[in-house]
């Protein structure tokens, strides 16, 4: 595939954009689109009265606690001014997955999954934290990973 | 958990229990009652007993996600109900009569209970391996 980069005038007369010219929208094209969309998504994270630009891929998981949404990165916890379902929608292309009523996890940051009691699973994240995957979300996870292959 | 998923699990549990009862009868029967001859109706015993043993599973049914503590409490309640129900039915049907037979029967129920739990856990581990494989693929692909 030929890659063409055309620099534009920085005055703002032209908008920055990515055009993909293809015969067919294949999985590879979809992945490129996904990558472009997600690499741009940055959220405002609130921590100790400071606002931090939080790239979506850096978030390991987000948890809703008493009408507040918290984003957990490798080391810090930030508050986000979103509702959980809004965050879930934002993270859809970034491989975020709703794993319980109050939590959305980043599948790219899950090290492994193992079974625990009563049909539930625990997801061990790359930072060592463990998140419960409710049994009712397990079929959706498999659908997300295998897309109806199993 | 919705009722449909719960019912599907109960059906799966029913077949596992029926198989375990069949195997347990095949092992314990010749040892305790070697002179007994069974007729064709005996084939209905394992599924009937399995049906009876599946009924207390409704203790686990809840629309809300149960906490680990709640699951533990319900598991204990489930085992007690199961032991009581099956023992009473076996006593009423005169399958067991002496104290020794009752103790052996209850132990057998406990072993089958443990076997069913282990099989369930093994199936879940298999599912976890599959999910992990999918995760690796997803992470390598991106």
């Amino acid at each position: 595939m030929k890659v063409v980069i055309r620099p534009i005038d920085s005055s703002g007369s032209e908008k920055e954009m990515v055009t993909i010219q293809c015969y067919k929208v294949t999985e590879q094209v979809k992945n490129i689109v996904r990558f472009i969309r997600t690499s741009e998504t940055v959220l405002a994270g609130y921590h100790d009265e400071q606002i931090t630009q939080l790239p979506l891929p850096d978030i390991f998981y987000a948890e809703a606690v008493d009408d507040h949404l918290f984003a957990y990165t490798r080391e810090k916890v930030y508050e986000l001014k979103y509702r959980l379902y809004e965050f879930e929608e934002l993270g859809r292309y970034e491989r975020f997955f709703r794993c319980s009523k109050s939590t959305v996890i980043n599948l790219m940051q899950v090290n492994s999954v193992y079974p625990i009691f009563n049909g539930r699973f625990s997801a061990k994240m790359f930072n060592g934290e463990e998140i419960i995957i409710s049994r009712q979300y397990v079929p959706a996870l498999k659908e997300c990973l295998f897309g109806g292959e199993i | 958990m919705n009722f449909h998923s719960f019912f599907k699990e109960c059906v799966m549990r029913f077949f596992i229990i029926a198989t375990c009862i069949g195997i347990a009868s095949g092992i314990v029967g010749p040892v305790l009652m070697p002179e007994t001859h069974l007729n064709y109706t005996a084939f209905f015993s394992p599924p009937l007993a399995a049906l009876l043993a599946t009924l207390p599973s409704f203790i686990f049914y809840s629309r809300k996600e149960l906490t680990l503590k709640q699951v533990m409490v319900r598991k204990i309640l489930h085992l007690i109900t199961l032991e009581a129900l099956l023992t009473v039915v076996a006593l009423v049907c005169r399958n067991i009569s002496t104290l020794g037979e009752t103790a052996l029967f209850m132990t057998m129920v406990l072993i089958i209970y443990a076997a069913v739990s282990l099989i369930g856990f093994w199936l879940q581990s298999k599912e976890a391996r599959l999910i992990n494989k999918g995760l690796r693929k997803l992470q390598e692909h991106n």
Side-chain angles (χ1 to χ4, degrees):
Chain A
M1 196 185 279
K2 195 178 170 188
V3 178
V4 179
I5 300 171
R6 187 171 66 86
I8 55 167
D9 186 21
S10 58
S11 65
S13 56
E14 265 188 285
K15 267 191 171 179
E16 275 188 320
M17 66 179 290
V18 177
T19 307
I20 299 170
Q21 205 170 304
C22 59
Y23 293 114
K24 206 175 163 189
V25 182
T26 59
E27 197 51 43
Q28 193 190 8
V29 173
K30 282 182 190 169
N31 281 336
I32 296 168
V33 173
R34 212 173 280 140
F35 175 76
I36 294 163
R37 278 186 177 153
T38 55
S39 59
E40 282 186 334
T41 314
V42 174
L43 306 177
Y46 298 78
H47 179 80
D48 288 341
E49 294 177 1
Q50 282 186 332
I51 303 173
T52 309
Q53 296 283 301
L54 212 54
L56 204 50
D58 289 357
I59 298 171
F60 278 56
Y61 66 96
E63 188 180 23
V65 183
D66 298 331
D67 280 341
H68 294 275
L69 183 66
F70 297 96
Y72 296 76
T73 60
R74 186 172 284 277
E75 284 160 356
K76 281 185 177 174
V77 183
Y78 298 90
E79 190 179 348
L80 301 176
K81 302 290 181 196
Y82 289 96
R83 313 290 293 179
L84 187 65
Y85 71 89
E86 289 171 332
F87 179 81
E88 187 187 5
E89 200 52 47
L90 273 172
R92 197 170 290 278
Y93 294 107
E94 187 53 66
R95 307 295 194 184
F96 275 82
F97 170 76
R98 177 77 163 256
C99 66
S100 69
K101 273 191 175 165
S102 60
T103 317
V104 172
I105 53 167
N106 185 353
L107 291 177
M108 302 302 288
Q109 301 292 358
V110 177
N111 188 9
S112 62
V113 162
Y114 62 91
I116 51 170
F117 252 125
N118 208 30
R120 268 179 283 196
F121 290 90
S122 180
K124 191 166 183 151
M125 311 301 284
F126 282 122
N127 64 351
E129 281 198 68
E130 297 203 9
I131 312 294
I132 302 284
I133 301 175
S134 298
R135 58 196 298 178
Q136 69 183 97
Y137 292 95
V138 174
L141 174 62
K142 287 200 275 185
E143 175 69 29
C144 174
L145 292 173
F146 302 103
E149 278 177 40
I150 50 164
Chain B
M1 175 188 258
N2 61 39
F3 189 76
H4 180 73
S5 311
F6 176 77
F7 187 74
K8 256 171 72 177
E9 264 185 31
C10 283
V11 171
M12 198 176 78
R13 199 172 293 149
F14 165 80
F15 285 112
I16 296 172
I17 296 170
T19 309
C20 287
I21 290 172
I23 293 168
S25 307
I27 295 168
V28 178
V31 177
L32 296 179
M33 293 173 276
E35 70 288 346
T36 307
H37 293 280
L38 303 172
N39 55 27
Y40 285 112
T41 51
F43 283 104
F44 291 108
S45 301
L48 277 174
L51 185 71
L52 204 65
T54 310
L55 288 176
S57 298
F58 281 84
I59 287 174
F60 289 111
Y61 180 66
S62 169
R63 278 177 178 275
K64 286 181 183 170
E65 186 85 18
L66 299 172
T67 61
L68 281 182
K69 200 177 164 189
Q70 284 172 321
V71 173
M72 287 297 286
V73 170
R74 289 190 192 208
K75 214 151 177 76
I76 293 165
L77 269 174
H78 180 238
L79 180 60
I80 294 168
T81 314
L82 200 63
E83 286 276 14
L85 179 73
L86 293 176
T87 308
V88 167
V89 171
L91 282 168
V92 169
C93 296
R94 292 165 195 262
N95 289 330
I96 50 172
S97 49
T98 64
L99 193 69
E101 279 175 355
T102 309
L104 186 75
F105 179 81
M106 288 178 85
T107 311
M108 216 165 81
V109 171
L110 188 69
I111 290 168
I112 293 173
Y113 189 82
V116 172
S117 299
L118 276 175
I119 291 168
F121 192 76
W122 175 73
L123 287 172
Q124 237 191 303
S125 302
K126 221 174 123 188
E127 211 175 355
R129 277 199 295 276
L130 190 77
I131 292 170
N132 283 330
K133 225 169 137 183
L135 276 172
R136 288 292 86 78
K137 208 173 154 189
L138 176 88
Q139 289 164 354
E140 280 163 17
H141 201 66
N142 287 270

